[in-house]
Amino acid sequence: MSLHEKETAVQNGALAQHHDLPATQDVERIEAPVTWKAYLICAFASFGGIFFGYDSGYINGVLDSKIFYQAVEGVTASELGESHTSLIVSILSCGTFFGALIAGDVADHMGRKWTVILGCLIYLIGVIIQMITGLGDALGAIVAGRLIAGVGVGFESAVVILYMSEICPRKVRGALVAGYQFCITIGLMLASCIVYGTQNRNDTGVYRIPIAIQFIWAIILAGGLFFLPDSPRYFVKKGKLEKATDSLARLRGQPKDSEYIQFELAEIVANEEYERQLIPNTTWFGSWANCFKGSVFKANSNLRKTILGTSLQMMQQWTGVNFIFYYSTKFLSSTGAISDPFLTSMIFTIINVFSTPISFYTVERFGRRTILIWGALGMLICQFLVAIIGVTAGFNYSHVDPSDADKNIADNISAVNAQIAFICIFIFFFASTWGPGAWILIGEIFPLPIRSRGVGLSTASNWLWNTIIAVITPYMVGTKRGNMKSSVFFVWGGLCTAAWFYTYFLVPETKGLSLEQVDKMMEETTPRTSGKWKPHDTFSSAKAQGTYANTGAPDSSIA
């Protein structure tokens, strides 16, 4: 069988025959040993997280800049209005929601890496529009620019996770994908530092400099990805076996004819063939409908996986972490209890950065499910403590400074410091558990035929809830509306409690498994027993024997 015939067979749903790609029964030999090259390629791909973090973070400080809010509201304004605050912050997430939904189709059409590069170009257009804020209609420019930039961030946030999950070696996949969350935290910290450094400027550079810095991230990511290989699983899906072999060889640092490359490619091909029996090629609408097929009570159904992926990202947003990173400067200013809200917000982002690398070890040592359970427990305790201290002695109680009638002073400085400390501990728990954990899992749980759309839907869920929280929070804590002050942490604490129960009953353990083995694990176990499951067969060996073990699936598509 020629290569062209092989590729045609793949596209028609009948993948290469087992004697063309050698099969192995050894579940430990379906992947090459990890090399530094693999680490570096995956680490570079995670750089895309800086987009997410920086674009989310710089607006936190800019909103409280006098020159910015007077450009938007008028020269007599004393602050940015609640409705405009809600619109400016949430519009990025709105654009990102739609970008993430579109990205799945684009990634299947033109490839994973080219979709990210396209996202970088869209992002740059949005940044250019944001740069003209202050010339003419300031509100229109910042809103339009953040909306367009959001589409680019949506492409990047969905497809970088997809790309990394498909190229990372299985034994370190969790740690490497956690690097994406680490880059998000670095982006947040860089944004906070730059805003802190420009806050005292008396010109439009106070907001234009933080906006302009975004050019750097897009150019670095797009330029670097241009030289990296695309996902071998994408090439298998498209039937391009020669390109899949070449890509896998580059990623694993092995020659094309290495048995490791042949075994891993055989496993990917056999799994694709099996999945195509269950999820056949169909129309554009039908391919989206495939994401919602099956019973909600069956752990391995497409519907159950889609619900799991989208709800994981929903729960991550429900922790309330973005309240801190979007609104902490404005919120702390409104309490009158913090002398330098910009500095305190920057400290929050620094803790976020230095806590995230802990997950590089724990996610592979203890597993995804375990760190999510303990993370949710730690977060809910911290959130409730912040709320209780606040409503009894902390943020909620202050008096006018005798020397400055426009400034408040906290009645109990020790209580306020305790609240700040518990917020820092909360950030530690989030950054080392739920921050990376949710991103890792959504890249692992979907079968190849629906993976790009499943990851896109899950990422879109993240941004949908991000948008909702960004819209409603100003009304929850604004002095003219809800004015909840510290009571808002009761809300986040209750939602973190829901995340704990959710994880315990519904989240499976995927540590140490290839993406193909995750399919089998979810088919044969429940979430609470998944941590004990061990791979016992390979798709390629089952295919070579003429049947797929433990699946009950017919072997009719094998030529």
Side-chain angles (χ1 to χ4, degrees):
M1 179 181 286
S2 69
L3 176 63
H4 174 73
E5 290 171 331
K6 284 184 182 180
E7 294 181 353
T8 301
V10 175
Q11 292 164 335
N12 291 333
L15 292 163
Q17 295 187 26
H18 63 271
H19 58 265
D20 290 319
L21 288 171
T24 177
Q25 295 184 349
D26 187 349
V27 296
E28 298 300 322
R29 290 182 63 81
I30 59 171
E31 194 172 87
V34 182
T35 65
W36 279 107
K37 183 177 181 179
Y39 279 121
L40 292 174
I41 290 174
C42 296
F44 180 81
S46 68
F47 181 84
I50 288 184
F51 281 56
F52 186 155
Y54 189 90
D55 225 22
S56 300
Y58 88 86
I59 203 65
N60 180 21
V62 167
L63 290 177
D64 210 37
S65 165
K66 181 177 180 180
I67 294 174
F68 177 79
Y69 65 65
Q70 287 187 346
V72 174
E73 302 285 2
V75 294
T76 60
S78 59
E79 64 177 357
L80 194 65
E82 291 168 354
S83 61
H84 287 165
T85 298
S86 174
L87 174 62
I88 292 171
V89 174
S90 64
I91 198 66
L92 175 83
S93 304
C94 180
T96 309
F97 169 78
F98 290 105
L101 284 180
I102 298 168
D105 282 329
V106 179
D108 274 351
H109 177 69
M110 62 187 296
R112 284 36 168 163
K113 82 167 188 176
W114 292 109
T115 302
V116 177
I117 291 172
L118 176 61
C120 291
L121 297 177
I122 296 171
Y123 181 77
L124 285 174
I125 294 171
V127 172
I128 292 170
I129 295 173
Q130 290 177 70
M131 285 291 293
I132 66 174
T133 299
L135 300 176
D137 186 352
L139 179 63
I142 193 69
V143 169
R146 282 176 63 78
L147 177 65
I148 294 171
V151 174
V153 175
F155 273 49
E156 175 274 325
S157 59
V159 182
V160 164
I161 291 297
L162 175 64
Y163 178 65
M164 291 183 68
S165 297
E166 291 188 344
I167 68 172
C168 287
R170 63 190 171 106
K171 292 183 179 179
V172 292
R173 186 176 60 241
L176 289 172
V177 176
Y180 177 79
Q181 175 66 20
F182 183 52
C183 286
I184 292 176
T185 67
I186 291 175
L188 284 164
M189 183 184 71
L190 289 173
S192 183
C193 291
I194 291 167
V195 167
Y196 184 73
T198 60
Q199 64 173 315
N200 294 321
R201 292 181 66 95
N202 295 317
D203 56 25
T204 57
V206 73
Y207 61 85
R208 283 201 171 118
I209 291 174
I211 291 172
I213 295 293
Q214 297 172 102
F215 276 97
I216 299 173
W217 320 138
I219 291 170
I220 291 175
L221 183 61
L225 279 177
F226 186 82
F227 298 100
L228 297 185
D230 212 325
S231 162
R233 287 175 169 86
Y234 162 74
F235 287 128
V236 167
K237 179 173 178 152
K238 301 298 284 187
K240 300 176 181 179
L241 296 185
E242 184 175 3
K243 289 186 176 180
T245 304
D246 181 67
S247 172
L248 201 56
R250 290 176 64 189
L251 291 168
R252 301 292 182 251
Q254 299 273 340
K256 292 185 190 180
D257 58 356
S258 162
E259 66 175 13
Y260 285 112
I261 300 302
Q262 296 298 309
F263 288 158
E264 185 170 358
L265 184 62
E267 186 71 359
I268 295 170
V269 165
N271 177 259
E272 160 72 0
E273 188 173 76
Y274 167 65
E275 295 290 354
R276 282 296 173 204
Q277 294 179 44
L278 304 179
I279 313 173
N281 286 318
T282 182
T283 62
W284 175 85
F285 179 80
S287 63
W288 275 103
N290 281 333
C291 295
F292 303 96
K293 287 185 176 179
S295 169
V296 71
F297 300 106
K298 184 179 178 183
N300 199 41
S301 71
N302 291 352
L303 175 61
R304 181 72 170 267
K305 290 176 179 178
T306 299
I307 292 173
L308 176 61
T310 53
S311 56
L312 268 168
Q313 293 291 354
M314 177 184 71
M315 290 290 174
Q316 189 202 62
Q317 291 302 303
W318 277 8
T319 61
V321 71
N322 278 337
F323 165 73
I324 294 169
F325 291 124
Y326 283 163
Y327 295 112
S328 61
T329 301
K330 194 173 179 66
F331 176 72
L332 294 174
S333 296
S334 70
T335 64
I338 305 297
S339 59
D340 193 343
F342 283 93
L343 180 60
T344 305
S345 294
M346 188 168 70
I347 291 171
F348 289 160
T349 63
I350 292 172
I351 292 171
N352 196 27
V353 169
F354 285 99
S355 300
T356 302
I358 295 171
S359 67
F360 297 175
Y361 170 76
T362 58
V363 75
E364 298 297 355
R365 173 64 178 83
F366 303 109
R368 287 71 157 147
R369 172 183 165 85
T370 301
I371 67 170
L372 291 184
I373 289 174
W374 285 103
L377 180 62
M379 288 189 296
L380 74 89
I381 292 172
C382 290
Q383 296 280 27
F384 281 128
L385 285 173
V386 172
I388 292 168
I389 295 171
V391 299
T392 56
F395 287 154
N396 291 22
Y397 299 91
S398 61
H399 58 272
V400 177
D401 186 346
S403 62
D404 186 352
D406 295 326
K407 183 179 179 181
N408 287 349
I409 299 177
D411 291 350
N412 189 328
I413 297 297
S414 297
V416 170
N417 289 339
Q419 285 185 276
I420 296 296
F422 280 115
I423 290 174
C424 291
I425 297 171
F426 159 78
I427 293 171
F428 163 79
F429 276 110
F430 175 84
S432 59
T433 60
W434 273 86
W439 291 110
I440 293 167
L441 278 162
I442 67 168
E444 296 177 330
I445 59 176
F446 294 101
L448 183 57
I450 65 167
R451 185 172 296 139
S452 62
R453 289 180 172 86
V455 173
L457 283 167
S458 301
T459 307
S461 172
N462 178 292
W463 289 106
L464 173 64
W465 287 100
N466 195 313
T467 303
I468 291 171
I469 290 170
V471 168
I472 66 175
T473 299
Y475 299 100
M476 294 168 66
V477 299
T479 55
K480 298 177 182 177
R481 303 294 178 97
N483 197 24
M484 294 182 69
K485 295 185 178 179
S486 297
S487 297
V488 73
F489 289 95
F490 281 121
V491 176
W492 308 134
L495 292 173
C496 286
T497 303
W500 186 91
F501 283 102
Y502 166 84
T503 305
Y504 181 77
F505 289 105
L506 297 176
V507 176
E509 181 55 72
T510 59
K511 180 187 75 168
L513 304 178
S514 72
L515 297 183
E516 289 70 37
Q517 289 168 347
V518 170
D519 281 342
K520 280 192 176 182
M521 178 275 294
M522 294 185 72
E523 188 175 284
E524 298 175 3
T525 68
T526 66
R528 283 181 286 173
T529 61
S530 58
K532 298 178 181 179
W533 187 86
K534 301 294 181 184
H536 47 76
D537 200 358
T538 66
F539 277 96
S540 56
S541 64
K543 173 188 171 185
Q545 297 165 12
T547 181
Y548 286 101
N550 300 317
T551 64
D555 201 33
S556 59
S557 69
I558 302 177

